């Protein structure tokens, strides 16, 4: 793995662990989830121009896909911490991920889009799992 991939993987892993801990009411895990969720959402949205610069994906597609990732992180943060309007955030995130999946599926023949598609699927599955846990 490259340094850029570690820069993405480490805050995301800590955020997911802290978020799962927050679901089960572990003390101070909410604070850790907020900090690392913010770092990860910031990493995906504005810093994605640097993070995925060598991916070979057009600029507008990178921006749209990474905004979808950032919205997915924010939706997960709302779900993990039981904040108001968490259902609206999940629906908005699903819409953004749908746009990202359509972009990736339209360009699936190019190998640069495949990791983006798998990340979209990962975030959609994760949001679905947390949403169904919260709802039922």
């Amino acid at each position: 793995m490259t340094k850029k991939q570690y820069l993405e993987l480490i805050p995301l892993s800590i955020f997911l662990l802290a978020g799962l801990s927050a679901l089960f009411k572990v003390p101070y895990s909410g604070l850790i989830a907020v900090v690392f969720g913010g770092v990860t959402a910031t990493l995906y949205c504005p810093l994605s121009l640097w993070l995925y610069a060598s991916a070979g994906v057009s600029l507008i597609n990178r921006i749209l896909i990474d905004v979808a990732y950032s919205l997915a992180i924010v939706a997960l943060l709302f779900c993990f911490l039981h904040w108001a309007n968490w259902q609206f955030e999940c629906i908005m995130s699903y819409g953004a991920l749908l746009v990202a999946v359509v972009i990736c599926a339209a360009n699936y023949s190019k190998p640069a889009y495949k990791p983006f598609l798998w990340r979209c699927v990962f975030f959609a599955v994760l949001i679905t799992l947390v949403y169904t846990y919260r709802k039922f």
Side-chain angles (χ1 to χ4, degrees):
M1 291 183 82
T2 65
K3 289 181 184 179
K4 289 183 181 181
Q5 290 171 333
Y6 280 124
L7 184 64
E8 175 188 5
L9 182 68
I10 291 170
L12 181 63
S13 301
I14 294 172
F15 166 66
L16 293 176
L17 289 174
L20 289 174
S21 299
L23 281 177
F24 297 113
K25 309 284 191 234
V26 175
Y28 302 109
S29 60
L31 178 64
I32 297 170
V34 168
V35 169
F36 282 97
V39 166
T40 308
T42 303
L43 180 70
Y44 277 132
C45 200
L47 292 180
S48 66
L49 299 176
W50 170 76
L51 190 64
Y52 303 122
S54 63
V57 178
S58 69
L59 182 64
I60 191 70
N61 287 346
R62 260 191 297 167
I63 291 172
L64 289 174
I65 290 169
D66 293 328
V67 165
Y69 293 165
S70 185
L71 285 174
I73 295 294
V74 171
L76 283 170
L77 193 59
F78 269 67
C79 286
F80 283 148
L81 299 178
H82 305 281
W83 287 347
N85 296 327
W86 62 274
Q87 292 174 332
F88 174 72
E89 288 290 330
C90 287
I91 292 169
M92 193 169 62
S93 176
Y94 279 135
L97 285 173
L98 180 67
V99 169
V101 165
V102 167
I103 290 171
C104 291
N107 297 307
Y108 192 72
S109 62
K110 299 176 184 173
Y113 284 90
K114 291 179 184 177
F116 290 108
L117 179 65
W118 290 114
R119 267 192 211 101
C120 288
V121 170
F122 170 72
F123 282 129
V125 167
L126 196 60
I127 290 172
T128 302
L129 289 174
V130 175
Y131 182 86
T132 53
Y133 177 78
R134 284 286 318 271
K135 193 71 173 170
F136 302 108

